[in-house]
Amino acid sequence: RQHEHLQKLLLQLEETEGGFDQFTRSYRSFGVQRQPDNSLFFKEWAPGAEALFLTGDFNDWNKFSNPYAKKEFGKWELILPPKHDGSPAVDHNSKLKVVVHTNDGQRIYRISPWAKYVAREEKTVIYDWVHWDPPPPYIHIHPRPKKPTSLRIYEAHVGIASPEPKVASYSNFTTNVLPRIKDLGYNCIQLMAIMEHVYYACFGYQITSYFAASSRYGTPDELKQLIDVAHSMGIVVLLDVVHSHASKNTEDGLNRFDGTDSCFFHSPPRGEHSLWDSRLFNYSSWEVLRFLLSNLRWWMEEYRFDGFRFDGVTSMLYHHHGIGTGFSGDYNEYFGLHVDEDSLVYLMLANHILHTLYPDCITIAEDVSGMPALCRGVQEGGLGFDYRLAMAIPDKWIQILKELKDEDWNMGDIAFTLTNRRYGEKCIAYAESHDQALVGDKTLAFWLMDKEMYTNMSTLIPMSPIIDRGIQLHKMIRLLTHGLGGEGYLNFIGNEFGHPEWLDFPREGNNQSYHYARRQFNLLDTDHLRYCQLYAFDRDMNRAEDEYGWLAAPPAFVSAKHEGDKVIVFDRANVLFIFNFHPNRSFQDYRVGVEAAGKYKIKLDSDEVQYGGHGRLDHNTDFFTEPHPFNGRSNSMLVNISNMTFLTH
């Protein structure tokens, strides 16, 4: 039924004025557009308004001198002729407002939903609509890289990407962070908090202006340069897109744009998310579809992003939004009247359009429910995403570190969590999420080492037992997740080197401090601290994957999950992974199964001294298989494995 709904929508789109292409490029006609003669064409959608006027610096804030003309279907248009000298009537960087006269006699001031740039003056709360039309516009130099076969994602927040206690800039990220990402071996960046949001501490998930790149970090041209430079390095860039909900703000948001509570959203209660305190889009509305689909094309074409991570997909899929609901995997949980068909079909439509127009586009779904066929093609009746986030994996690692002693770790449970995904639907695995970095929770490094990270991370003193255990497990958890957990891998900025402190954005509770709203990359440049050892391991782990391509290979075959020995063994992409999680035992001549016969060598060893290990393995050793079937594999061999280390061959 949903696929039939989609086909009808696509047919209707083709029959609209300008067809499918113009419908999804409506950012070229809505908002404000400069015409060839330098006149400015303004177009808004405000079906509930009685009258619309444009005011701003250009007319000395006269509220009534420039009225819009009302058109069909709730649309309003205004043309401003050029000045006497032929220049546009509205200067670049000048402020504007839409004055809306509502049906109940109110006069309200709004920012155009299509505004390309909004900014906030220091010590003010409300954002201003700023006319952005710089001479000349930024021209991208470098072509988009090809879609990676193995996706290694560096999830980043531009504002915290500096050791300095301030909001960092796009330019800082371009100059100082991109080279680190390239060196680490990540081939994809996922940028958070780019779409303009009024509350800095929300990780960018309360959007107010959907077409505006956040002015906190700099200008639109500086973001374009960031993406252009990333492309020059062969790195694709994804946008964290929030089409699942919107900020409740009215004066500088979408909410009640035309004075009604149902312009872009469902009327309450359906149009409100009770936990997020935000508004929910009406995906059955023709103009809402135009707005959201056009928004996707805007980011792809104007800024040249390479795809999207869709936030809050679980909330979109179900009328209950996942609130108070658990998912066991039973199919009754996914198909029924509790599924929001309008939003599900919107996601199908968005994926169909993106992959049709941009074949190398990458889309990732943040869905905790496990909706079947989420990552199957639209032509198959699926939703069309390329990947879903394996959200159970970071939860499992945190649960283990919180609740279990080392000797109680369950190898079978760990292996099950890492491999529990629908066959034929690709997953992005990650060991820890950005939410775990926030104050009130802890990163893996902090759960493992806690306060000793402040005192015992120096290489000039012997490792304490806590630091030793923490460093070894930090590496092993990440590589096990990388090798076994999915068809892509994600790391949140700073976690690759075990960032020593939590993330706390400036707020009233911390006296608006930026002390914890930063990433201390300076620690990597201090040679006598062990953070650079974790960094080096993360780098070499990614480089090994780049060489062998296990993320792009079929799922691993797990040949051993021995509870007594605390050993996990699996092979994938002609690489044998061996993990010994036993807290105090090493093993000599330990038999492991392997499918491919021949000679094996150590490729990556977490116990190497350069990674903060103890250097107990001889890397000159060759390992030869025997035609002795073992643990479901055709061949086997004997290896030495130290405690808390792994080998790849």
Side-chain angles (χ1 to χ4, degrees):
R1 186 179 71 247
Q2 291 147 357
H3 199 259
E4 290 174 357
H5 186 173
L6 174 68
Q7 295 303 319
K8 289 178 183 177
L9 264 179
L10 289 170
L11 183 61
Q12 289 175 310
L13 286 175
E14 289 291 355
E15 293 174 348
T16 58
E17 184 180 354
F20 173 84
D21 185 66
Q22 179 55 36
F23 187 88
T24 58
R25 284 182 192 257
S26 47
Y27 62 81
R28 291 186 172 180
S29 56
F30 278 80
V32 54
Q33 309 297 328
R34 195 202 310 188
Q35 305 301 303
D37 64 352
N38 274 346
S39 61
L40 296 177
F41 178 66
F42 293 81
K43 187 175 181 180
E44 302 293 348
W45 180 64
E50 182 69 27
L52 252 63
F53 298 85
L54 184 70
T55 186
D57 292 335
F58 78 99
N59 67 1
D60 295 325
W61 295 96
N62 186 309
K63 300 178 184 64
F64 309 114
S65 62
N66 296 96
Y68 285 75
K70 189 172 185 177
K71 302 295 182 180
E72 290 183 303
F73 310 115
K75 296 171 186 173
W76 301 79
E77 295 180 358
L78 166 64
I79 296 177
L80 291 182
K83 298 177 184 177
H84 295 301
D85 62 3
S87 63
V90 181
D91 295 332
H92 169 61
N93 248 345
S94 59
K95 295 179 182 177
L96 296 167
K97 282 277 190 183
V98 177
V99 184
V100 181
H101 286 238
T102 67
N103 282 321
D104 58 3
Q106 296 184 65
R107 183 191 305 159
I108 55 180
Y109 297 86
R110 295 289 186 258
I111 290 175
S112 170
W114 306 82
K116 299 181 180 73
Y117 188 62
V118 298
R120 180 170 57 89
E121 294 182 359
E122 193 175 355
K123 297 183 179 179
T124 61
V125 176
I126 303 299
Y127 276 78
D128 295 308
W129 176 16
V130 179
H131 181 57
W132 188 260
D133 187 19
Y138 184 87
I139 304 297
H140 289 85
I141 302 171
H142 303 283
R144 301 179 193 267
K146 287 293 183 183
K147 183 178 182 177
T149 54
S150 293
L151 202 60
R152 302 183 299 273
I153 304 172
Y154 194 88
E155 184 183 31
H157 186 295
V158 170
I160 67 170
S162 164
E164 299 180 58
K166 64 178 185 181
V167 178
S169 66
Y170 296 123
S171 296
N172 165 75
F173 197 93
T174 303
T175 303
N176 298 317
V177 184
L178 283 183
R180 294 187 189 272
I181 296 172
K182 176 65 175 176
D183 178 62
L184 281 164
Y186 291 94
N187 55 22
C188 176
I189 300 168
Q190 180 178 299
L191 287 180
M192 308 174 68
I194 295 298
M195 302 168 77
E196 192 59 88
H197 51 290
V198 73
Y199 185 46
Y200 187 48
C202 74
F203 257 142
Y205 295 129
Q206 293 287 348
I207 306 299
T208 47
S209 292
Y210 279 76
F211 287 80
S214 181
S215 59
R216 285 182 176 87
Y217 322 124
T219 67
D221 284 359
E222 288 166 341
L223 173 58
K224 291 175 184 178
Q225 184 182 40
L226 185 163
I227 295 169
D228 204 12
V229 173
H231 286 170
S232 76
M233 297 177 173
I235 300 172
V236 298
V237 187
L238 307 183
L239 175 68
D240 205 348
V241 71
V242 188
H243 283 182
S244 50
H245 63 117
S247 168
K248 270 190 172 180
N249 281 24
T250 54
E251 197 164 335
D252 55 5
L254 291 183
N255 193 18
R256 301 184 65 86
F257 173 70
D258 64 354
T260 71
D261 61 10
S262 58
C263 184
F264 286 91
F265 312 107
H266 289 291
S267 295
R270 185 179 178 185
E272 291 184 340
H273 196 293
S274 58
L275 290 186
W276 295 345
D277 193 32
S278 54
R279 297 302 311 270
L280 300 174
F281 287 105
N282 178 3
Y283 302 102
S284 65
S285 166
W286 204 241
E287 294 303 330
V288 172
L289 289 178
R290 185 193 300 268
F291 180 80
L292 294 175
L293 294 173
S294 178
N295 186 236
L296 295 174
R297 292 201 71 177
W298 164 258
W299 292 108
M300 291 292 290
E301 297 190 1
E302 183 72 13
Y303 287 92
R304 295 182 65 81
F305 278 95
D306 301 287
F308 303 96
R309 178 264 202 188
F310 281 74
D311 174 69
V313 168
T314 304
S315 174
M316 297 175 71
L317 292 176
Y318 310 99
H319 291 296
H320 54 62
H321 308 300
I323 299 173
T325 304
F327 295 93
S328 65
D330 188 285
Y331 281 92
N332 291 324
E333 297 165 352
Y334 307 113
F335 304 108
L337 296 178
H338 54 286
V339 173
D340 189 333
E341 185 169 306
D342 291 331
S343 57
L344 186 147
V345 171
Y346 164 69
L347 291 172
M348 296 172 73
L349 182 61
N351 276 303
H352 172 76
I353 287 170
L354 287 170
H355 290 101
T356 300
L357 296 171
Y358 317 101
D360 281 340
C361 178
I362 300 167
T363 59
I364 301 171
E366 188 217 20
D367 170 46
V368 73
S369 75
M371 167 66 79
L374 187 75
C375 300
R376 297 302 299 180
V378 170
Q379 69 278 8
E380 299 175 344
L383 272 71
F385 285 99
D386 295 295
Y387 300 89
R388 70 177 351 128
L389 291 175
M391 300 177 72
I393 295 175
D395 291 343
K396 173 57 66 176
W397 286 123
I398 290 298
Q399 178 202 357
I400 289 171
L401 294 179
K402 278 173 140 178
E403 299 176 3
L404 299 178
K405 298 177 182 178
D406 290 354
E407 56 268 26
D408 295 331
W409 286 28
N410 186 307
M411 300 296 102
D413 185 42
I414 292 171
F416 173 78
T417 301
L418 288 166
T419 57
N420 182 27
R421 54 188 184 273
R422 298 187 187 280
Y423 183 79
E425 297 194 48
K426 295 179 181 178
C427 287
I428 302 291
Y430 52 121
E432 50 191 326
S433 74
H434 57 244
D435 289 329
Q436 290 163 209
L438 286 169
V439 64
D441 206 336
K442 294 180 182 180
T443 61
L444 288 182
F446 234 43
W447 277 112
L448 288 164
M449 296 176 278
D450 211 88
K451 62 183 179 182
E452 289 210 16
M453 298 189 78
Y454 296 115
T455 56
N456 294 335
M457 285 294 279
S458 172
T459 59
L460 304 178
I461 59 174
M463 278 194 291
S464 69
I466 288 176
I467 294 296
D468 191 4
R469 169 184 176 269
I471 283 180
Q472 311 321 323
L473 283 177
H474 191 271
K475 293 178 291 186
M476 294 176 68
I477 287 171
R478 302 179 86 72
L479 192 278
L480 182 57
T481 302
H482 204 303
L484 192 58
E487 290 70 37
Y489 178 76
L490 179 143
N491 167 73
F492 177 65
I493 180 172
N495 286 353
E496 71 276 6
F497 64 88
H499 198 279
E501 289 179 332
W502 53 91
L503 181 62
D504 189 15
F505 289 95
R507 53 188 174 85
E508 288 185 11
N510 63 17
N511 295 318
Q512 303 298 331
S513 171
Y514 285 91
H515 179 74
Y516 295 109
R518 59 196 179 108
R519 299 282 92 175
Q520 299 181 60
F521 290 113
N522 54 298
L523 296 173
L524 293 175
D525 304 322
T526 307
D527 293 339
H528 67 270
L529 294 179
R530 298 191 181 276
Y531 298 104
C532 61
Q533 297 173 342
L534 295 176
Y535 176 98
F537 178 78
D538 200 84
R539 176 197 64 209
D540 291 351
M541 174 177 69
N542 283 320
R543 290 180 179 179
E545 197 289 325
D546 193 50
E547 180 179 352
Y548 291 97
W550 59 72
L551 288 172
F557 183 92
V558 182
S559 59
K561 35 194 176 182
H562 197 291
E563 300 302 341
D565 295 342
K566 301 300 178 191
V567 168
I568 294 176
V569 181
F570 63 90
D571 53 276
R572 187 178 186 188
N574 293 319
V575 181
L576 180 65
F577 295 78
I578 306 171
F579 293 81
N580 175 16
F581 282 98
H582 203 287
N584 50 42
R585 283 187 65 192
S586 298
F587 299 97
Q588 303 294 317
D589 294 332
Y590 195 89
R591 185 168 295 277
V592 294
V594 62
E595 191 60 28
K599 181 176 75 172
Y600 286 73
K601 293 185 70 69
I602 297 173
K603 177 64 181 179
L604 190 61
D605 169 18
S606 71
D607 198 40
E608 282 196 77
V609 174
Q610 63 176 320
Y611 306 141
H614 302 282
R616 289 167 288 193
L617 296 176
D618 182 1
H619 285 224
N620 295 317
T621 304
D622 293 331
F623 300 87
F624 295 91
T625 62
E626 303 172 79
H628 179 82
F630 188 72
N631 283 348
R633 306 316 265 161
S634 301
N635 300 281
S636 62
M637 59 187 175
L638 300 175
V639 299
N640 298 335
I641 46 177
S642 304
N643 64 304
M644 291 190 176
T645 65
F646 69 83
L647 310 173
T648 62
H649 296 270

